[in-house]
C-alpha cells in the first residue's frame, strides 16, 4: 500500500543497537498498523530540534487514540482498539517503555481519535 515515510537524515543515538532496533520496530510497526485504513498514510521518524537530551518522535496520521486513555498505553495487555480492528498482543509499548527506561530515558504519547498519534522518547547517554 502507498505510505509516505519521512525519516530525518542524520539521527544519532547512543544506545544498545539490538534494544533500540526492538523499540523502533515496535513504534514504527504500530504506526504502520494504525495507518492501515488511511488512504494517504504518513509516518514520520525525527527528533525535535534543539532539545537536550534529544527527543525522538514517531508520528502517524492513523487511527489515533483518545488522550484521556493515554495512561493505559504502556500497560501490559492494555488495548485502546478492539482486537478485530487491529491485530496485536498488547505488549509492544510496554517493551518499548522498558527499553527506553533501561537507557535512562522516558516515553510519552499524544493522540487524537482518527487523526493519528505521536510517540516521543528520550535516551540518556551511558545507560545501556
Amino acid at each position: 500500500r502507498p505510505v509516505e515515510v519521512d525519516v530525518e537524515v542524520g539521527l544519532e543515538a547512543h544506545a544498545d543497537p539490538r534494544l533500540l532496533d526492538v523499540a523502533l520496530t515496535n513504534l514504527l510497526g504500530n504506526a504502520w498498523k494504525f495507518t492501515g485504513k488511511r488512504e494517504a498514510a504518513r509516518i514520520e521518524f525525527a527528533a525535535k530540534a534543539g532539545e537536550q537530551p534529544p527527543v525522538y518522535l514517531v508520528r502517524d496520521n492513523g487511527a489515533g487514540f483518545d488522550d484521556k486513555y493515554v495512561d493505559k498505553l504502556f500497560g501490559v495487555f492494555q488495548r485502546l482498539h478492539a482486537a478485530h480492528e487491529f491485530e496485536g498482543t498488547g505488549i509492544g509499548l510496554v517493551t518499548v517503555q522498558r527499553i527506553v527506561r533501561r537507557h535512562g530515558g522516558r516515553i510519552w504519547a499524544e493522540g487524537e481519535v482518527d487523526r493519528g498519534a505521536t510517540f516521543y522518547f528520550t535516551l540518556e547517554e551511558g545507560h545501556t
Side-chain angles (χ1 to χ4, degrees):
R1 67 187 168 98
V3 177
E4 180 183 341
V5 178
D6 183 16
V7 177
E8 184 176 322
V9 176
L11 291 178
E12 292 184 9
H14 298 283
D16 180 304
R18 292 171 310 218
L19 292 178
L20 191 56
D21 180 62
V22 170
L24 289 175
T25 297
N26 274 288
L27 289 172
L28 293 168
N30 277 354
W32 183 267
K33 174 173 49 177
F34 289 110
T35 58
K37 298 175 182 178
R38 192 63 80 216
E39 201 170 302
R42 181 168 175 15
I43 298 170
E44 175 186 7
F45 176 47
K48 291 176 76 174
E51 297 285 330
Q52 285 302 324
V55 176
Y56 304 97
L57 64 91
V58 174
R59 176 180 291 137
D60 67 67
N61 68 342
F65 61 90
D66 189 329
D67 260 347
K68 71 181 176 184
Y69 300 115
V70 72
D71 293 338
K72 292 186 171 205
L73 285 174
F74 300 102
V76 177
F77 304 121
Q78 294 292 320
R79 298 178 54 96
L80 300 187
H81 300 278
H84 71 275
E85 290 181 292
F86 298 100
E87 292 182 10
T89 61
I91 62 168
L93 291 176
V94 173
T95 301
V96 174
Q97 183 182 53
R98 288 181 178 166
I99 291 168
V100 167
R101 285 182 176 170
R102 180 170 179 169
H103 288 83
R106 63 186 192 100
I107 185 167
W108 66 99
E110 297 173 349
E112 191 175 338
V113 174
D114 203 35
R115 296 194 52 115
T118 305
F119 287 83
Y120 302 93
F121 65 96
T122 63
L123 303 168
E124 296 290 333
E125 201 169 331
H127 287 83
T128 54

